[in-house]
């Protein structure tokens, strides 16, 4: 989804790019059209959804319906580091881009293992995926909304909010973070960015946040199958 982080040509660079961006390569032409001024931000969101919604809905397991191609072990390797970024002893947690709700389920279980209790909520730009999440997780049906998180004002704010920066076009990422901190994250709460795949020796995402005026308060990382890549996440503290 993030064409701005695509590496230079070359075998190793292609390997790294593919490990970082598995599943998102169809999105480069959409980013290009947006950057060229050929489509608006609203059209960018619609075009991205046209690519990912059918792919997720056709997934034959809960991970695939959340955009992950691995088995349960890999799902845990790729996502459980978010627990490191949660406040202790817990609180409300909003998964922006909750897809079929599988991360809401998994994170709730993984957090309990380390003594953290979260109350999960979700928001999803795809009405069909949000419906799927409500069907799969009927106990949380009343706390899963359909909305574009960019501009969305929830009925209440959350102690921890997770998102990807690539859920908006590249030039809107600073404004997206500002919106989430102003309207979605509770005062004193945490905005969690991740999980994203990044070169072990780079800090592109943290640097992007710093360039927008936000200093990460905490970071985490785990090894990826590709030796030069790590799964990473970070959080930004909201003002009290
Ligand atoms: C890779 S999946 C993440 C699934 C799960 N939350 C996880 O982290 O494994 C990204 C989801 O975010 C949704 N999404 C992307 N942009 C969004 C936005 N601006 N507002 C709400 N949802 C968005 C997509 O439709 C997709 O279901």
């Amino acid at each position: 989804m993030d064409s701005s982080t695509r590496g230079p040509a070359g075998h190793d660079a292609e390997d790294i790019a593919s490990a970082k961006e598995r599943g998102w390569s169809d999105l480069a032409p959409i980013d290009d059209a947006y950057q060229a001024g050929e489509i608006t931000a609203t059209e960018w969101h619609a075009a991205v959804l046209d690519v990912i919604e059918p792919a997720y809905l056709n997934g034959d397991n809960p991970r695939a319906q959340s955009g992950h191609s691995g088995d349960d072990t890999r799902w845990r390797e790729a996502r459980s580091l978010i627990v490191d970024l949660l406040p202790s002893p817990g609180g409300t947690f909003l998964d922006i881009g909750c897809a079929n709700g599988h991360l809401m389920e998994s994170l709730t279980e993984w957090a309990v293992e380390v003594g953290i209790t979260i109350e999960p909520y979700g928001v999803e730009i795809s009405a069909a995926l949000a419906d799927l999440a409500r069907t799969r997780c009927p106990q949380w049906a009343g706390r899963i909304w359909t909305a574009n998180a960019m501009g969305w004002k929830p009925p209440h704010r959350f102690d921890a909010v997770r998102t990807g920066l690539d859920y908006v076009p590249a030039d809107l990422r600073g404004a997206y973070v500002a919106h989430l901190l102003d309207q979605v994250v509770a005062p004193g709460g945490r905005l969690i960015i991740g999980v994203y795949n990044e070169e072990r020796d780079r800090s592109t995402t943290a640097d992007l946040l710093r360039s927008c005026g936000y200093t990460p308060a905490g970071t985490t990382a785990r090894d990826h199958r590709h030796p030069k890549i790590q799964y990473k996440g970070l959080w930004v503290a909201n003002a009290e």
Side-chain angles (χ1 to χ4, degrees):
M1 199 166 189
D2 183 4
S3 63
S4 62
T5 58
R6 280 183 187 100
H11 242 345
D12 196 36
E14 278 167 24
D15 271 3
I16 291 174
S18 135
K20 281 166 65 182
E21 297 179 32
R22 196 171 297 281
W24 297 109
S25 53
D26 289 346
L27 304 178
I30 304 171
D31 288 338
D32 293 345
Y34 177 80
Q35 274 161 24
E38 293 160 11
I39 59 172
T40 64
T42 303
E43 290 166 333
W44 181 91
H45 285 291
V48 170
L49 201 54
D50 279 349
V51 174
I52 67 167
E53 187 182 69
Y56 287 20
L57 290 174
N58 284 332
D60 61 1
N61 65 73
R63 300 170 302 283
Q65 291 170 349
S66 274
H68 180 81
S69 58
D71 61 12
D72 242 340
T73 304
R74 285 246 327 271
W75 167 254
R76 187 172 178 134
E77 280 167 9
R79 294 291 189 279
S80 62
L81 65 163
I82 296 170
V83 172
D84 302 348
L85 306 169
L86 291 172
S88 183
T92 52
F93 169 84
L94 175 72
D95 187 24
I96 294 182
C98 66
N100 69 340
H102 192 42
L103 185 70
M104 294 168 63
E105 296 173 308
S106 301
L107 199 62
T108 303
E109 290 176 15
W110 297 331
V112 163
E113 292 172 11
V114 295
I116 295 176
T117 305
I118 57 167
E119 282 296 334
Y121 294 74
V123 62
E124 171 53 57
I125 195 170
S126 157
L129 283 169
D131 280 345
L132 178 60
R134 290 183 202 104
T135 304
R136 290 188 63 257
C137 309
Q139 72 279 28
W140 298 326
R143 16 161 126 171
I144 296 171
W145 295 275
T146 301
N148 181 346
M150 179 58 159
W152 178 61
K153 294 186 183 172
H156 56 87
R157 292 162 75 170
F158 304 89
D159 300 314
V161 175
R162 188 216 66 85
T163 190
L165 290 181
D166 54 357
Y167 294 179
V168 296
D171 64 330
L172 298 181
R173 288 175 188 163
Y176 182 51
V177 170
H179 166 71
L180 296 178
L181 291 172
D182 282 351
Q183 302 288 341
V184 185
V185 182
R190 296 184 177 199
L191 178 61
I192 295 171
I193 311 291
V195 173
Y196 51 90
N197 298 352
E198 193 172 73
E199 283 89 341
R200 182 179 291 278
D201 55 357
R202 292 203 191 157
S203 53
T204 313
T205 305
D207 292 346
L208 169 69
L209 279 168
R210 284 194 197 91
S211 75
C212 299
Y214 304 102
T215 304
T219 62
T220 189
R222 295 277 190 288
D223 286 344
H224 186 277
R225 293 180 320 289
H226 192 296
K228 294 191 176 171
I229 299 289
Q230 285 185 312
Y231 299 112
K232 296 185 188 178
L234 60 81
W235 64 278
V236 174
N238 206 9
E240 293 284 347

